[in-house]
Amino acid sequence: NAGVTQTPKFQVLKTGQSMTLQCAQDMNHEYMSWYRQDPGMGLRLIHYSVGAGITDQGEVPNGYNVSRSTTEDFPLRLLSAAPSQTSVYFCASSSVGLSLFSTDTQYFGPGTRLTVL
Amino acid sequence: ILNVEQSPQSLHVQEGDSTNFTCSFPSSNFYALHWYRWETAKSPEALFVMTLNGDEKKKGRISATLNTKEGYSYLYIKGSQPEDSATYLCAFHGSGNTGKLIFGQGTTLQVKP
């Protein structure tokens, strides 16, 4: 049971490049989310998904796309990287049904440190 | 816009001191309040999930209380140890936001030996 895994751990991009941050979980969790962590800002929700085929925007969705074709995977796409997207990105998952307000805690991946030059 | 505030932003204590910090959150549409511990270069790890007004949770030397009517939670650490040094995050889960957690900025605790 690997929990939540993220790849890559580190990435450097040039402005305008696109890339996909990968996130996978093997706990059969319905709910997955992406956060970015910036100094003094805490964790801010980018996008989240309550199940395969369902995604929704969080607090800071601009410049990012997501899809959820399987329960296990929740990739985050940067369409045209900008220096403002330099950050540490965390993926998280928890057990929650489509209409449930779960009190299950979230399990976080190890993070991806992204630098956009 | 939902606001979750944590104070203080940072805290330096001596080994053996007891300490506490605060998380303030909206008192309406409350569903749950989460506490996480986040060590440098690691991922946040869950400490507590609290749902009921007056709830009190404990894990070893760490405990937390919850007041949903006034919108605050306290995290207490008794007899701080250097290994308690970390950032402590709280996250608000509103009843209208399926699965969405709104995080505070965190309180960074440094325990000096």
Side-chain angles (χ1 to χ4, degrees):
Chain A
N1 191 333
V4 181
T5 57
Q6 289 183 239
T7 55
K9 277 193 171 179
F10 302 94
Q11 183 71 48
V12 178
L13 292 178
K14 292 182 180 176
T15 297
Q17 285 186 311
S18 62
M19 81 158 294
T20 300
L21 308 185
Q22 301 291 344
C23 173
Q25 52 88 13
D26 60 0
M27 297 175 280
N28 203 30
H29 283 168
E30 296 275 359
Y31 178 83
M32 297 185 74
S33 56
W34 276 103
Y35 296 88
R36 59 177 289 173
Q37 190 257 328
D38 303 295
M41 303 287 283
L43 288 168
R44 291 185 294 169
L45 184 64
I46 305 171
H47 285 285
Y48 67 101
S49 167
V50 297
I54 304 170
T55 63
D56 207 346
Q57 295 181 349
E59 300 169 73
V60 288
N62 292 341
Y64 307 95
N65 271 2
V66 291
S67 59
R68 185 92 181 272
S69 53
T70 67
T71 300
E72 293 77 23
D73 300 297
F74 190 44
L76 178 74
R77 293 184 190 84
L78 280 72
L79 307 170
S80 177
S84 60
Q85 293 178 303
T86 293
S87 187
V88 182
Y89 291 85
F90 286 96
C91 178
S93 75
S94 66
S95 175
V96 64
L98 287 178
S99 59
L100 286 175
F101 299 127
S102 173
T103 57
D104 283 350
T105 190
Q106 291 197 51
Y107 296 87
F108 284 83
T112 294
R113 187 173 292 275
L114 176 69
T115 302
V116 183
L117 303 174
Chain B
I1 296 176
L2 297 174
N3 218 20
V4 179
E5 302 277 348
Q6 289 187 250
S7 61
Q9 196 170 346
S10 64
L11 200 51
H12 295 256
V13 301
Q14 288 294 134
E15 182 175 354
D17 286 351
S18 293
T19 186
N20 67 85
F21 17 96
T22 307
C23 173
S24 302
F25 51 85
S27 55
S28 57
N29 299 316
F30 174 88
Y31 184 73
L33 194 281
H34 296 232
W35 280 101
Y36 289 85
R37 181 171 179 274
W38 194 0
E39 289 182 73
T40 304
K42 293 188 178 178
S43 311
E45 287 184 349
L47 285 172
F48 307 115
V49 180
M50 309 176 81
T51 56
L52 298 174
N53 186 42
D55 219 358
E56 194 166 329
K57 301 258 182 175
K58 191 171 178 187
K59 189 185 266 190
R61 293 178 291 98
I62 303 177
S63 60
T65 60
L66 179 68
N67 184 323
T68 60
K69 294 187 192 306
E70 295 180 43
Y72 64 84
S73 175
Y74 293 137
L75 190 80
Y76 300 91
I77 303 179
K78 188 177 174 183
S80 303
Q81 299 297 308
E83 57 265 29
D84 296 328
S85 298
T87 295
Y88 292 84
L89 295 168
C90 69
F92 171 77
H93 184 177
S95 58
N97 299 315
T98 309
K100 285 170 74 170
L101 293 184
I102 307 297
F103 281 83
Q105 298 96 324
T107 293
T108 300
L109 174 68
Q110 189 72 36
V111 182
K112 297 176 189 173

